Amino acid sequence: MNEHRSAKDAASDTEPSSANGITLVSYLLGGLAFWGGVGWVADHFLGFSALFLPIGLGVGLVGAIYLIYAQHVRS
Amino acid sequence: MGADVSVVAASESSCKIFGDGCGFEAPTVSLFFPTPWLDFGLPGTSGLNKYYLVAVVALLVAAAFWYFTTRKAKVVPGRGQSVAELLVTFLRDQVTRTAIGKEGDKYLPLMVTLFIFIFSMNIMGLIPGLQLPVTSNLAFPAVLALLIFLLWNIVGIRRHGAGGHFKARLVPGGVPTWILPLVIPIEALSNFIIRPATHMIRLFATMFAGHLLLALFAAAGFYMFNPLSEMGAGYGALSVGYSAMALLGFLVFTAFELFIMAVQAYVFVLLSSIYLGEALEGAH
């Protein structure tokens, strides 16, 4: 790669990688918290002890990993 | 109880290693809840306590830094001015230009101010007599993180309009429509709740833990210093050796803590710049 790149090129190289680390954690937490929360609420109102909570956690995890893949791996 | 390490140590002074058998009491989180000097009795408030005093001192330190480094600014900088210029160019090259690009120069004054203010608040944990990092109280990082969160929204809305900004933050690009109901709530929670929360907690938790660790080393050093042990001179000498190790640990961790204080101030402004850069950039 050309060593005499402009500052803007260097910036566009480093920005996504530093942003990624932060985004990944917030996606994973967000996915687990939201869909896990939905599952917990569903359990609470439908009278199950723990049926929808694990399903929600699973859905949230899959959604978060998909988002990470779509946003940062594929692109 | 004050958060001064010497106060913690003094309060443990009756208990000593190889003494009358009473054990070591580690410093607790009460360090971070100083007794208020003036309590207005308002719910959810702490009253006027040591944090306020230390925050004002931190503010004066930050102001004094700029006053003494820039009061005789010249084209060929003197020693103080060089330090200030070095700091500004470092933050420009490593933070705003890296995260935002050339356009980031507009936000450089904010980032430099934030860095100096946070660093001076952090470093108050090492100033003898004060020994309380202001950022170890969640309220201070919370207000700063909230400021950046508001700015992030304002900058995004001004650049892309409210619709454009929120669409960019909620609807991920290049994703099939049927999967959107699954991922939009994740994006919403991630961008609007978790990110500002982690932004403040990162700074708060590091300063909190670092201060507690230093207090623990100091308290242990005092606890283990018992040269006049009733169990004999040998134990007395051993206790001095133990105490020396604890105080050596205290010194090493103080140096390490100084490094962490600078790194955390840097990380806070770096993340702020990344968020602002992202808001300016729009859809990803």
Side-chain angles (χ1 to χ4, degrees), chain B residues 75-268:
Chain B
V75 178
V76 180
R79 198 180 301 161
Q81 195 187 336
S82 297
V83 173
E85 287 186 6
L86 199 67
L87 176 73
V88 173
T89 40
F90 172 77
L91 289 176
R92 186 193 65 189
D93 295 340
Q94 298 298 320
V95 176
T96 55
R97 289 220 175 144
T98 310
I100 313 179
K102 270 262 184 195
E103 201 183 355
D105 289 1
K106 198 164 67 176
Y107 300 98
L108 184 61
L110 172 71
M111 295 307 159
V112 173
T113 310
L114 266 182
F115 177 85
I116 283 288
F117 186 44
I118 294 173
F119 184 57
S120 60
M121 284 202 290
N122 289 351
I123 213 168
M124 289 299 130
L126 298 181
I127 305 292
L130 296 174
Q131 279 166 319
L132 184 68
V134 186
T135 39
S136 67
N137 183 325
L138 187 59
F140 291 90
V143 169
L144 296 177
L146 187 68
L147 170 84
I148 295 299
F149 179 69
L150 289 176
L151 191 64
W152 175 74
N153 280 300
I154 292 168
V155 162
I157 290 171
R158 281 181 63 175
R159 173 61 61 92
H160 303 286
H165 171 66
F166 288 111
K167 184 166 177 279
R169 302 282 73 88
L170 292 174
V171 185
V175 169
T177 317
W178 63 268
I179 213 166
L180 286 179
L182 175 71
V183 294
I184 285 178
I186 300 178
E187 280 274 11
L189 203 60
S190 158
N191 281 331
F192 292 94
I193 309 282
I194 293 176
R195 239 169 43 170
T198 50
H199 197 193
M200 71 179 179
I201 291 171
R202 186 176 289 110
L203 176 60
F204 154 73
T206 340
M207 288 301 112
F208 182 91
H211 187 60
L212 203 54
L213 198 62
L214 286 184
L216 179 68
F217 270 109
F222 278 97
Y223 171 75
M224 291 194 277
F225 186 75
N226 193 12
L228 304 173
S229 168
E230 49 259 48
M231 290 170 72
Y235 282 101
L238 192 61
S239 82
V240 173
Y242 282 164
S243 176
M245 277 192 275
L247 290 176
L248 182 69
F250 177 76
L251 290 177
V252 170
F253 270 87
T254 300
F256 185 60
E257 190 61 16
L258 181 64
F259 170 70
I260 295 291
M261 285 166 173
V263 167
Q264 284 305 316
Y266 171 75
V267 166
F268 193 93

